[in-house]
Amino acid sequence: MLETIRDLLFGLLDRPWALLFIALAPALALAYWKKIYPHTTLVWGLVFAWVLSALPLLEAFVPLDRLRETFGVSPWAIPALTVDLLIALASLVDLISLPGKKTFEAERSAGRVVSLGKKHEIELSIFNRSNRSYTVAIRDDVDPDFQPDPDTFDRVLPPRSRLVLGYRLIPSARGAFEIKGVYVRAFSALRFWKRDLFLHRTTELHVYPDLKQLAEYALLARTNRLSLMGVKRTRKAGSDNEFERLRDYLPDDNYRFIDWRTTARRRKLTVKDFTVTQSQNIIFLLDCGRMMTNKHEGYSLLDHALNAVLLMSYVALEKGDSVGLICFSDQVHRYVPPAGGKRQMNRLIHAVFNQFPTLVESRYDEAFVYLANHCRKRSLVVLATNVIDELNAAAIEKHLRTLVGKHLPLGILMRDHAIFDRAKFPVPPQDLFPAAVAADLILWRQQLLVDLEHQGVLTIDAFPEEMTAPLVNRYLEVKARHLL
């Protein structure tokens, strides 16, 4: 029996390919069933063992017949077999040191609401329930497009311990997303093996348009520093407004509104603030068609439009007005009836966070018919869209013109960086023709804006990322001039 085993072992040494297959077969089985893989150390050990197993082939060049007759086998077989057995024994012993499926547990602490393009903090807690220490690599199940920083943690987990990790992510898309679990890669004691474990821990993230700008606006409004956001103070036409509050005097305030009694008591110039007419309607028409699919700085035109629309909605609701919303492309996707109050802001946010631009032709006629059927009261109708050709420009001009008189239309036409950058001068000689075409498109676009203004339509012409302040300023101007 022993001679048979010996002959089998030494026979395998004469066939290194067979020996390599026998060594890899258990590793493949472990990888398939247990998610256990050879680490770099074991791979190099197998390569070394295979090289030793191939040494008997040297007998074709180095005659060692006498040694073979003395030992009964190739003289290379004994050291090769010894090394192979040592590597096999060490790998089997090291395999036992890998953790089981229930060795680790994970918890995740993260806010459900995330702002698009803003850093979001997430905290991971990994528990080691065993009495052994493990070297691990930890990665959360986050979409790589969310840019987790850092994306992987290399740590040592002491026995019966809890490891707290924190990282940041920057969402690059709106919508509802799930983080389904945590990936843990644990290494054996001798680094011969590694095992991949997936710890189920589901967390749902709702990525909304930029909400942090709302908190920033509220803070600057309380401290009278809205100019830092580009929001201008607009003088109110007339003085038929109701008293709202007292505040510190600013250089551009009218001295007639100074409250002298309060000034004497506080020993600081104090003026009266008045509220403008409230309970007016603002309706946003958001184009979700092909015109809004262009991207700038990684975000679509619709993303930039939503950021501006939500901030203006916040300002309007703070002023006591009612805000509504219609999202449309080839059909009307979402409608939020005009209403006031703090809850309306939540309704608007939930209505738009999962609206995305699609490559379809926008039906402005259906959107404006829907508006006429659902909104009878005179309103400030804000259309956020883009124009790149005469076809959709004619449709926009036609439908905005029909609102004049019944409503106050405001058209937001976002600029395309690709066109405006191409028309910048000086231009290299080889780019003169594209620059001339871009300049012609800009002149045509400017003429469209002039025509709309002459027909009684308010307009905003701005780059997508610079649209928020002009939109809020135009709204404040409308309120101050009592255009509604």
Side-chain angles (χ1 to χ4, degrees):
M1 183 67 178
L2 294 176
E3 293 180 357
T4 304
I5 296 175
R6 188 194 67 174
D7 294 341
L8 179 61
L9 291 176
F10 289 125
L12 289 174
L13 290 174
D14 292 332
R15 298 175 178 82
W17 293 106
L19 183 65
L20 181 62
F21 175 78
I22 292 175
L24 290 178
L28 294 175
L30 288 173
Y32 182 78
W33 296 106
K34 300 293 184 179
K35 303 299 180 184
I36 298 176
Y37 307 94
H39 194 39
T40 309
T41 307
L42 181 57
V43 172
W44 282 111
L46 291 175
V47 171
F48 180 66
W50 182 81
V51 171
L52 288 179
S53 302
L55 288 179
L57 298 176
L58 295 176
E59 292 188 19
F61 307 96
V62 182
L64 298 173
D65 296 337
R66 291 184 179 180
L67 292 176
R68 175 180 286 275
E69 291 175 359
T70 303
F71 294 100
V73 295
S74 171
W76 306 104
I78 296 176
L81 181 59
T82 302
V83 172
D84 291 348
L85 290 176
L86 288 176
I87 293 177
L89 182 61
S91 62
L92 288 175
V93 173
D94 195 39
L95 186 63
I96 303 174
S97 65
L98 285 174
K101 290 184 178 181
K102 298 182 179 180
T103 302
F104 305 119
E105 292 182 7
E107 290 184 359
R108 185 186 298 105
S109 175
R112 186 179 182 183
V113 177
V114 189
S115 292
L116 179 66
K118 300 297 181 181
K119 292 182 179 180
H120 188 67
E121 301 287 343
I122 294 182
E123 185 178 277
L124 280 178
S125 296
I126 308 297
F127 299 88
N128 181 6
R129 301 300 186 187
S130 71
N131 296 319
R132 293 183 177 180
S133 178
Y134 292 100
T135 301
V136 295
I138 301 169
R139 181 174 64 84
D140 210 357
D141 184 28
V142 181
D143 191 329
D145 292 339
F146 279 25
Q147 305 174 28
D149 181 30
D151 58 348
T152 305
F153 299 90
D154 296 322
R155 296 290 189 274
V156 176
L157 272 175
R160 299 290 178 180
S161 64
R162 173 175 176 262
L163 179 64
V164 179
L165 307 169
Y167 70 94
R168 299 174 179 176
L169 56 83
I170 303 178
S172 57
R174 290 177 291 104
F177 302 89
E178 276 190 351
I179 305 178
K180 296 183 178 180
V182 181
Y183 293 98
V184 177
R185 172 168 289 178
F187 300 92
S188 60
L190 298 178
R191 290 295 186 107
F192 277 12
W193 304 95
K194 56 186 177 182
R195 184 174 191 180
D196 290 342
L197 299 171
F198 185 74
L199 310 180
H200 292 275
R201 181 62 62 179
T202 302
T203 300
E204 188 172 1
L205 298 179
H206 285 185
V207 181
Y208 293 96
D210 187 5
L211 301 181
K212 292 188 177 180
Q213 63 176 346
L214 306 184
E216 180 183 356
Y217 178 88
L219 177 61
L220 295 178
R222 286 195 297 268
T223 56
N224 294 318
R225 294 185 298 164
L226 287 176
S227 59
L228 297 178
M229 292 185 67
V231 177
K232 301 177 182 178
R233 291 184 53 83
T234 305
R235 294 186 178 275
K236 302 176 179 62
S239 58
D240 57 345
N241 300 311
E242 296 181 358
F243 172 77
E244 180 184 13
R245 62 170 181 166
L246 295 172
R247 61 171 176 80
D248 293 340
Y249 174 83
L250 295 175
D252 59 344
D253 286 328
N254 193 323
Y255 68 90
R256 292 179 301 171
F257 297 137
I258 296 178
D259 189 325
W260 295 107
R261 289 187 178 182
T262 306
T263 298
R265 186 172 62 253
R266 297 179 65 215
R267 296 184 178 181
K268 190 175 184 180
L269 284 175
T270 306
V271 297
K272 297 178 181 179
D273 249 356
F274 299 90
T275 60
V276 294
T277 307
Q278 298 183 349
S279 299
Q280 295 177 320
N281 274 9
I282 293 93
I283 304 290
F284 292 101
L285 294 178
L286 281 176
D287 184 1
C288 301
R290 67 180 181 90
M291 300 298 176
M292 305 293 281
T293 56
N294 290 349
K295 289 191 174 184
H296 175 66
E297 296 180 348
Y299 303 112
S300 66
L301 296 184
L302 182 59
D303 291 328
H304 291 288
L306 286 176
N307 290 337
V309 164
L310 287 179
L311 182 57
M312 178 179 163
S313 300
Y314 179 82
V315 176
L317 292 172
E318 287 290 316
K319 296 289 184 181
D321 288 336
S322 299
V323 180
L325 175 76
I326 297 176
C327 296
F328 71 97
S329 58
D330 56 341
Q331 60 182 349
V332 175
H333 300 292
R334 193 66 57 88
Y335 172 62
V336 180
K342 295 182 179 180
R343 292 186 177 181
Q344 183 67 0
M345 195 67 209
N346 291 333
R347 297 189 190 101
L348 294 172
I349 292 172
H350 285 286
V352 301
F353 88 99
N354 57 356
Q355 296 294 315
F356 305 99
T358 54
L359 291 172
V360 296
E361 195 67 37
S362 297
R363 292 292 302 273
Y364 297 100
D365 52 348
E366 290 191 8
F368 280 87
V369 168
Y370 194 92
L371 172 68
N373 293 334
H374 290 80
C375 184
R376 308 282 184 180
K377 181 181 177 181
R378 177 174 172 83
S379 308
L380 173 63
V381 179
V382 182
L383 173 63
T385 185
N386 183 27
V387 290
I388 58 176
D389 55 43
E390 295 182 357
L391 183 63
N392 73 313
I396 292 171
E397 184 178 5
K398 171 186 174 182
H399 291 98
L400 286 177
R401 187 176 63 247
T402 58
L403 294 180
V404 177
K406 184 177 181 180
H407 298 287
L408 178 61
L410 169 60
I412 304 175
L413 306 183
M414 285 174 278
R415 295 181 175 181
D416 191 340
H417 277 276
I419 296 177
F420 279 79
D421 292 344
R422 180 71 72 173
K424 289 182 178 179
F425 288 88
V427 180
Q430 64 272 18
D431 294 336
L432 283 176
F433 182 75
V437 174
D440 186 62
L441 288 174
I442 292 174
L443 290 175
W444 165 79
R445 191 174 182 278
Q446 184 62 34
Q447 185 60 46
L448 173 64
L449 292 169
V450 172
D451 293 342
L452 288 173
E453 291 281 354
H454 288 168
Q455 295 169 12
V457 179
L458 303 179
T459 60
I460 292 178
D461 178 29
F463 290 109
E465 71 281 5
E466 301 172 354
M467 188 173 55
T468 303
L471 180 58
V472 175
N473 288 331
R474 181 54 64 94
Y475 163 74
L476 296 177
E477 179 186 350
V478 169
K479 296 292 290 183
R481 294 171 58 190
H482 306 284
L483 297 180
L484 275 177

